[in-house]
Amino acid sequence: MARGEGAEQYTATLLTATVKPMKTEIKAIKPNEQRSFTEKQRKNGLSVWNKLCYAFGGAPYQITGSTLGFFLQIYLLDVAQLDPFYASIILFVGRAWDAITDPTVGFLVSRSRWTSIGRMMPWILFSTPFAVLTYFLIWYVPSFEEGKVIWYLVFYCLFQSMQTCFHVPYSALTMFISSDQKERDSATAYRMMVEVLGTVLGTAIQGQIVGGVSSCPTEPKDSNSTNTTMNTTIVSLEDTKQAYLLASGVICIIYIFCATVLFFGVKEQKESDRKTSAPPLTFRQGLWVIVSHGPYVKLVIGFLFTSLAFMLLEGNFALFITHALGHRNDFQNILLVIMLSGTLTIPWWQWFLTRFGKKTATYCGILWAVPFMILIVSIQSHLIISYLVSVAAGVSVAAAFLLPWSMLPDAVDDFKVQNPDIHGHEALFYSFYVFFIKFASGLSLGISTLSLKFAGYVTGECSQPEAVSSTLKVLVSPVPIILIIIGLLVIKTYPIDEERRQGNRKLLQDLLDSESETSELGSSV
């Protein structure tokens, strides 16, 4: 069946099921009742304060994510001084465990009962203190050597679990802050702005505090000062450990503050009570229903490759700046410039996708990074050029942040149009998207860290072999570019264009209006 014919078929089916009954019910509605409903519809809009409070909830995930993404690898190798093989195991297993917990939590959230504070909020509220504690312990270097790998593996996995219990309900909360798609898109833009700002904050706090100390000693002036050099190294390493702890403490305080703002500033809207005889779906049934929805699958696969490209770049960029470009004292500032550039261009990308469509914005935004990925590894290391490239790269980072989360609600709405009798599975859509992204990123980071071991990376050394530099260049340029091209080719087949998106929006609004009018008629009788 052609795509247009399929769209016409489900449109006709939904209209038959919802609009026809609505016509008979509207006749019984009095003019002042219609005016009351129109006023109620207007009140469904979100204030700027509501959108800002909602956006603050996205900051903890990005602040901790940016610090772990940019700094955990170099921390495990140069501060905790683990062998690259064990570091690769921690990075892969931690991300893989995180990926597994996403659909599990998503399913549990979808089956949660409504409480006085909502269905998503209890998860967010009760996971916060445990997430903060486990995050802090990731950045503590234990005094024992024997079980150090187990320490980092356990607390990294525990933090990822608690973070999942926070972020999956928060992501699904997008569908419950408003039933208006425009309001959700606007709130998502606020969220993306704060999230990119969160990455800036995480990068700035971790980078500036940690960048103030160095575990690399200065060259001794006296040839007989071996002991002095060794002592300098030890003291400096201890200072570096304390700097990481200080940075993690500051981030934990911000985490708690943002969760508090979200809790008190956002009211979760209860789903309309739809009477259906269908029993709730099991986890396996819910999974099958979701992966059978073609637009969602294509969207997830496409952004899987593009997100993987940027995560691979993120995970290895600090090492690349330090060892391949030689900007050891400036790597934290270069990372900060990338995040600042991304933050400032989020509003521009929001305007661009509104003006030219989300698919066009995806092509332009993500492809923008490709020339600069090529440039940074093609020219001789130069600090000014590195800063200029980081400014340009930040523009693509902004698009990579905004567009997936802006397009996922469209796929969920399309699913609702085609399956009007299936409810309460919004969290599964978001959790499975995050599942695939995290699992793939864990695999890529594990493989990339392992490749550094094969290249001859020496833990704790300030100077690395030339093979390490070459490996890092491959990991931040050719491999991400290939992933970006594959991802955009998949997104090209994504069927939800602006016309279909607007059509889905109208159909869902008609369905919501019909249910609200039926509810008002029942209460008046």
Side-chain angles (χ1 to χ4, degrees):
M1 182 181 292
R3 185 185 304 165
E5 294 172 352
E8 289 174 4
Q9 182 176 351
Y10 76 74
T11 300
T13 302
L14 186 62
L15 284 173
T16 303
T18 61
V19 177
K20 284 184 179 179
M22 185 178 67
K23 289 181 179 178
T24 60
E25 292 161 358
I26 290 176
K27 291 178 183 178
I29 298 177
K30 297 176 182 179
N32 39 345
E33 286 177 342
Q34 275 187 308
R35 282 196 298 273
S36 173
F37 176 69
T38 304
E39 290 172 4
K40 193 180 294 183
Q41 219 176 2
R42 288 197 192 110
K43 290 179 182 178
N44 194 42
L46 298 171
S47 67
V48 173
W49 171 250
N50 292 141
K51 294 174 184 176
L52 281 173
C53 290
Y54 167 73
F56 264 85
Y61 181 78
Q62 296 302 336
I63 291 174
T64 56
S66 66
T67 55
L68 289 170
F70 280 127
F71 295 96
L72 184 58
Q73 185 186 47
I74 197 170
Y75 166 80
L76 293 175
L77 293 174
D78 291 347
V79 181
Q81 297 193 347
L82 298 180
D83 185 89
F85 174 74
Y86 294 119
S88 67
I89 290 177
I90 292 170
L91 292 171
F92 170 69
V93 173
R95 290 293 184 99
W97 173 257
D98 188 20
I100 292 170
T101 58
D102 276 296
T104 306
V105 171
F107 176 72
L108 294 174
V109 169
S110 68
R111 301 296 291 267
S112 299
R113 294 182 178 181
W114 180 268
T115 68
S116 58
I117 59 173
R119 188 150 62 99
M120 308 296 167
M121 282 298 183
W123 288 84
I124 294 171
L125 182 65
F126 294 117
S127 64
T128 296
F130 298 103
V132 166
L133 176 63
T134 52
Y135 178 80
F136 183 80
L137 291 176
I138 290 174
W139 302 102
Y140 174 74
V141 181
S143 56
F144 50 84
E145 290 292 332
E146 191 69 26
K148 192 183 286 188
V149 175
I150 302 298
W151 172 280
Y152 289 114
L153 190 59
V154 168
F155 284 111
Y156 188 36
C157 290
L158 284 175
F159 169 73
Q160 297 289 16
S161 299
M162 295 301 102
Q163 180 76 303
T164 298
C165 291
F166 182 102
H167 192 251
V168 168
Y170 172 74
S171 298
L173 189 63
T174 308
M175 306 301 295
F176 298 99
I177 56 175
S178 175
S179 59
D180 189 332
Q181 189 185 71
K182 276 190 174 180
E183 292 295 326
R184 293 202 306 261
D185 282 347
S186 177
T188 299
Y190 277 82
R191 170 189 167 186
M192 292 302 111
M193 174 70 113
V194 173
E195 286 194 356
V196 176
L197 191 60
T199 64
V200 173
L201 198 58
T203 306
I205 292 171
Q206 192 88 357
Q208 297 306 312
I209 293 177
V210 172
V213 293
S214 174
S215 58
C216 288
T218 55
E219 289 294 325
K221 294 179 181 179
D222 187 358
S223 59
N224 296 322
S225 58
T226 305
N227 293 333
T228 305
T229 303
M230 185 176 297
N231 291 334
T232 304
T233 304
I234 294 173
V235 171
S236 183
L237 182 59
E238 288 301 318
D239 290 342
T240 304
K241 292 176 183 179
Q242 293 301 316
Y244 272 100
L245 272 182
L246 175 61
S248 66
V250 174
I251 288 172
C252 287
I253 294 172
I254 296 173
Y255 194 117
I256 295 172
F257 171 77
C258 292
T260 304
V261 170
L262 173 67
F263 178 74
F264 287 105
V266 175
K267 181 174 177 57
E268 185 178 342
Q269 296 184 6
K270 192 173 183 179
E271 276 187 302
S272 58
D273 294 326
R274 296 166 176 166
K275 294 181 179 180
T276 175
S277 58
L281 298 180
T282 64
F283 180 80
R284 183 180 297 179
Q285 290 171 332
L287 172 60
W288 175 251
V289 165
I290 288 173
V291 299
S292 299
H293 187 55
Y296 174 77
V297 173
K298 291 176 181 177
L299 185 70
V300 168
I301 293 175
F303 279 120
L304 171 65
F305 283 101
T306 58
S307 299
L308 192 54
F310 284 98
M311 287 181 180
L312 196 62
L313 183 66
E314 176 191 60
N316 294 281
F317 205 60
L319 287 172
F320 171 74
I321 295 171
T322 302
H323 297 299
L325 297 184
H327 305 318
R328 177 178 299 277
N329 296 326
D330 296 277
F331 82 93
Q332 71 274 10
N333 297 324
I334 294 174
L335 296 177
L336 184 58
V337 167
I338 293 175
M339 296 297 103
L340 280 173
S341 174
T343 302
L344 296 175
T345 51
I346 280 281
W348 188 83
W349 282 119
Q350 175 64 21
W351 170 84
F352 190 93
L353 69 85
T354 304
R355 177 70 177 82
F356 299 102
K358 296 181 180 181
K359 288 183 71 174
T360 303
T362 301
Y363 300 143
C364 297
I366 294 178
L367 281 175
W368 174 264
V370 172
F372 300 100
M373 288 181 181
I374 298 173
L375 179 64
I376 195 69
V377 299
S378 300
I379 61 173
Q380 189 175 0
S381 175
H382 194 285
L383 186 59
I384 301 295
I385 295 178
S386 297
Y387 274 110
L388 292 176
V389 169
S390 67
V391 172
V395 178
S396 271
V397 170
F401 265 88
L402 174 64
L403 291 164
W405 295 109
S406 180
M407 295 172 74
L408 270 174
D410 300 336
V412 176
D413 284 345
D414 191 76
F415 176 83
K416 287 182 175 180
V417 168
Q418 298 190 40
N419 302 273
D421 295 326
I422 300 178
H423 314 296
H425 290 275
E426 291 83 0
L428 280 177
F429 278 97
Y430 288 90
S431 62
F432 274 106
Y433 168 73
V434 178
F435 164 77
F436 290 117
I437 298 298
K438 288 181 176 179
F439 188 85
S441 68
L443 186 63
S444 69
L445 282 176
I447 293 174
S448 63
T449 307
L450 198 58
S451 67
L452 292 177
K453 178 177 177 61
F454 294 141
Y457 189 93
V458 183
T459 298
E461 290 295 324
C462 298
S463 179
Q464 299 293 337
E466 183 62 31
V468 171
S469 176
S470 301
T471 302
L472 288 168
K473 288 180 180 180
V474 171
L475 292 173
V476 302
S477 184
V479 175
I481 289 173
I482 293 171
L483 292 171
I484 284 174
I485 293 172
I486 295 173
L488 291 181
L489 289 175
V490 175
I491 291 174
K492 186 174 176 60
T493 66
Y494 176 66
I496 302 178
D497 53 16
E498 291 304 301
E499 182 180 356
R500 179 163 168 176
R501 189 171 71 88
Q502 294 298 332
N504 287 342
R505 179 187 172 194
K506 184 179 184 304
L507 290 170
L508 288 173
Q509 190 62 48
D510 288 343
L511 180 60
L512 183 64
D513 292 351
S514 173
E515 292 169 348
S516 300
E517 289 164 0
T518 302
S519 177
E520 286 197 5
L521 280 174
S523 61
S524 64
V525 171

